[in-house]
Amino acid sequence: MTESTDPTTPSEPSQGAMPGVTTQVTQNDIGSAEELAAAYEETLKDFNEGDIVDGYVVKVDHDEVLLDIGYKSEGVIPSRELSIKHDVDPHEVVSLGDHIEALVMQKEDKDGRLILSKKRAQYERAWGTIEKKKENDEIVEGTVIEVVKGGLILDIGLRGFLPASLVEMRRVRDLHPYVGRQLEAKIIELDKNRNNVVLSRRAWLEETQSATRRAFLHTLRKGEIRKGVVSSIVNFGAFVDLGGVDGLVHVSELSWKHIDHPSEVVEVGQEVEVEVLDVDLERERVSLSLKATQEDPWRQFARSHQIGELIPGRVTKLVPFGAFVRVDDGIEGLVHISELAERHVDIPEQVVSVGEEITVKVIDIDLDRRRISLSLKQALQDQQQVVQSEDELALEEGGYEGYEGYEGYGEGDYAQGYYDEQGNLIGVVPGTAMAEAFQEAGFYDATYGEGEQGAEEQATDEQQQDESAESGTEAAQGQDQDTLENIVEDLKRKNSNE
């Protein structure tokens, strides 16, 4: 539309017109109203449902995004149609001014709005790319967006499923550390009708690492010691990364002692030294051993202990034929039922119990069969002999001298007949302090412990003994006098004869 003034037609001043102002007449240079509407429609994009359109983000809300695609109204992208990820925040997917593509789902919903989908446009575009890559046997790259039952979901323009068994060269138990990582994989299954895309990272790893793995495997030798890092743990063992190639340490090769799970010995990320047991070049597998790099505890036990030695132990198990006793970490020996006690034993429970601390004697060590024979009976006998020997040694060395009640026990005080064959005292040696104490107490004259009456009788006996002693002394003195007089007479008689 343009504005023009017709000079041939005099303009009449209208009511209320301001003096000195020229009135302009507008002319429609397009045509009728129908022509104007048609021209307006030509400026709008023509599309149908299912088509892919592009435009600019003009608004981002918490549950939807508005996209200007040059239509009479902005298109609405619900938050669930923004990404193949579930429950995402629209602000994390797009920003104001972003140029994006969207698929037309509805030109007009019940509210007259244009409904679009960003993820479906992305899906349609991706299918074409994915199909071409599958035909050319190329790899795809995507971000791990979710852990699901049995594997991972990768964003490759659509949801690609990567089974857990195909993530690495060996099965991975914990997949959560992969979330957010960029992974490369090969397409092994593609079905658009079922919306199914299956990927394999393992196939890509085998293809790219095969030459490197083979070269590395040829450098391994049986029996050599290698350093590595525990890369994963499974129920049957642990995988160790030797530097590009993973080897398996079976659970039986993790420790000399019995373990229930590999996690009792190693953890992911731990540096270890392992011995190469076997290298299978055809299957590209390596068998390793951790316990082979550690000293055999049985040989260590045999080196530090000898037959006949007494050692402490703990009863761990009772069986009809005896008791098992732990004598060192991971080492158990058997006390046969015949070696539990000197007496006859019907069942081990009659002598020992599980958890009991006992001292046993080593009677045999069989390294080849990894068996140790022990004896509780002989250990008790040896302990008794040691105690008796110590007592005898103490007696021989005067070990009781100086103790109250044992004064006077010197070397000459051990009269024969007062000790038995084992050296045990069975009587009181005369002339010792103990004998005098027994005499004073009335032990030998049946007055020991009889109270006041016994004391009086003892006093009477002592008086009689004293009187007898005095009479004997006088008699002795008389005898001595007679003897002296006889000697004098004999001397006189001899001198006379001379």
Side-chain angles (χ1 to χ4, degrees):
M1 300 176 64
T2 59
E3 296 181 351
S4 60
T5 303
D6 188 357
T8 62
T9 305
S11 58
E12 297 179 357
S14 61
Q15 294 182 357
M18 297 180 63
V21 177
T22 304
T23 302
Q24 294 181 340
V25 178
T26 357
Q27 183 179 354
N28 185 355
D29 59 358
I30 293 179
S32 65
E34 290 77 8
E35 292 175 339
L36 178 62
Y40 181 71
E41 287 289 341
E42 288 179 359
T43 64
L44 301 178
K45 291 183 177 180
D46 185 22
F47 55 83
N48 296 310
E49 293 182 0
D51 291 348
I52 295 177
V53 296
D54 64 283
Y56 293 91
V57 177
V58 294
K59 183 179 181 181
V60 180
D61 206 348
H62 69 281
D63 57 354
E64 63 182 17
V65 170
L66 297 184
L67 186 69
D68 181 8
I69 61 172
Y71 193 54
K72 60 183 180 182
S73 62
E74 288 86 4
V76 178
I77 305 177
S79 59
R80 65 179 181 276
E81 296 295 331
L82 280 171
S83 173
I84 59 176
K85 297 180 182 180
H86 299 304
D87 300 325
V88 296
D89 182 358
H91 293 86
E92 297 177 359
V93 182
V94 295
S95 301
L96 286 176
D98 286 352
H99 184 262
I100 62 174
E101 289 185 330
L103 182 139
V104 180
M105 296 178 62
Q106 283 183 285
K107 293 188 72 172
E108 287 189 18
D109 65 355
K110 62 181 181 178
D111 298 323
R113 302 184 306 170
L114 172 65
I115 306 301
L116 307 174
S117 173
K118 176 180 180 296
K119 73 176 184 181
R120 298 195 185 193
Q122 183 180 352
Y123 176 84
E124 291 295 330
R125 295 291 190 196
W127 265 111
T129 303
I130 295 297
E131 288 176 339
K132 289 182 181 179
K133 288 182 178 291
K134 178 72 169 63
E135 291 175 1
N136 299 329
D137 196 27
E138 299 177 2
I139 64 169
V140 293
E141 184 176 356
T143 304
V144 179
I145 61 175
E146 190 177 347
V147 177
V148 295
K149 183 179 180 180
L152 302 171
I153 297 298
L154 269 67
D155 181 3
I156 56 173
L158 46 84
R159 291 172 68 89
F161 177 65
L162 176 59
S165 60
L166 301 179
V167 174
E168 297 286 352
M169 299 297 293
R170 77 284 176 190
R171 188 177 180 88
V172 180
R173 293 181 59 85
D174 186 10
L175 297 174
H176 290 86
Y178 287 89
V179 175
R181 286 180 55 182
Q182 287 277 340
L183 299 181
E184 294 177 307
K186 298 195 71 173
I187 305 166
I188 59 176
E189 186 177 339
L190 192 62
D191 189 343
K192 186 174 182 179
N193 294 329
R194 296 170 56 194
N195 191 25
N196 188 27
V197 180
V198 181
L199 309 173
S200 174
R201 184 169 181 262
R202 179 176 178 176
W204 175 74
L205 291 174
E206 289 176 346
E207 184 178 298
T208 56
Q209 298 180 4
S210 179
T212 303
R213 284 174 58 84
R214 284 192 167 275
F216 183 83
L217 290 173
H218 278 87
T219 65
L220 297 177
R221 296 291 180 269
K222 292 183 181 180
E224 70 174 331
I225 306 299
R226 290 272 185 156
K227 291 184 178 181
V229 178
V230 178
S231 56
S232 66
I233 295 176
V234 291
N235 290 331
F236 54 85
F239 286 94
V240 177
D241 184 0
L242 300 177
V245 174
D246 282 0
L248 173 64
V249 182
H250 191 265
V251 65
S252 61
E253 292 295 331
L254 281 171
S255 176
W256 288 103
K257 63 181 181 180
H258 172 75
I259 59 174
D260 294 323
H261 193 270
S263 58
E264 298 176 19
V265 181
V266 293
E267 59 183 11
V268 175
Q270 178 181 348
E271 294 185 0
V272 294
E273 283 191 348
V274 291
E275 180 179 314
V276 179
L277 297 181
D278 185 52
V279 180
D280 188 341
L281 295 176
E282 183 176 350
R283 302 171 65 189
E284 295 187 358
R285 293 186 177 180
V286 181
S287 298
L288 306 171
S289 174
L290 179 62
K291 74 177 186 180
T293 62
Q294 305 165 354
E295 184 178 10
D296 185 347
W298 284 83
R299 295 191 178 279
Q300 183 180 5
F301 181 87
R303 188 182 67 252
S304 57
H305 297 82
Q306 57 185 355
I307 295 176
E309 182 179 353
L310 299 182
I311 57 176
R314 179 190 293 271
V315 179
T316 58
K317 184 180 180 182
L318 299 180
V319 291
F321 52 86
F324 285 95
V325 179
R326 180 180 291 115
V327 293
D328 206 340
D329 188 19
I331 297 181
E332 292 184 351
L334 173 66
V335 180
H336 192 266
I337 193 169
S338 62
E339 293 294 334
L340 284 172
E342 294 184 3
R343 69 181 189 276
H344 175 72
V345 178
D346 293 323
I347 56 175
E349 286 83 350
Q350 295 176 341
V351 182
V352 293
S353 59
V354 175
E356 182 179 353
E357 300 280 352
I358 60 175
T359 298
V360 291
K361 182 177 181 179
V362 180
I363 57 178
D364 185 50
I365 300 176
D366 188 343
L367 280 179
D368 295 332
R369 301 171 66 189
R370 294 181 176 272
R371 293 183 179 179
I372 299 176
S373 298
L374 307 169
S375 175
L376 176 61
K377 175 179 67 177
Q378 296 184 34
L380 293 175
Q381 292 173 349
D382 290 357
Q383 287 176 325
Q384 290 176 356
Q385 291 178 1
V386 169
V387 172
Q388 292 176 0
S389 299
E390 290 177 351
D391 290 343
E392 292 176 1
L393 180 61
L395 289 172
E396 292 175 359
E397 295 178 352
Y400 293 110
E401 290 184 2
Y403 287 91
E404 183 178 356
Y406 289 91
E407 294 85 2
Y409 273 67
E411 291 185 357
D413 294 333
Y414 302 104
Q416 186 176 3
Y418 291 91
Y419 294 85
D420 59 15
E421 295 179 356
Q422 287 75 30
N424 297 317
L425 182 65
I426 59 177
V428 180
V429 181
T432 63
M434 182 177 289
E436 293 177 359
F438 276 26
Q439 180 68 39
E440 292 176 0
F443 186 85
Y444 297 108
D445 52 14
T447 61
Y448 179 76
E450 295 183 359
E452 295 181 356
Q453 181 179 358
E456 292 176 357
E457 292 177 358
Q458 182 178 357
T460 303
D461 291 341
E462 291 177 352
Q463 183 177 359
Q464 290 176 354
Q465 291 176 2
D466 293 337
E467 291 175 356
S468 298
E470 290 176 1
S471 300
T473 301
E474 291 176 358
Q477 291 176 354
Q479 291 177 358
D480 292 341
Q481 184 66 30
D482 293 340
T483 302
L484 181 60
E485 291 176 356
N486 290 335
I487 292 172
V488 173
E489 290 295 334
D490 289 339
L491 289 173
K492 287 180 180 181
R493 191 179 300 112
K494 182 179 181 182
N495 291 331
S496 300
N497 293 333
E498 292 177 354

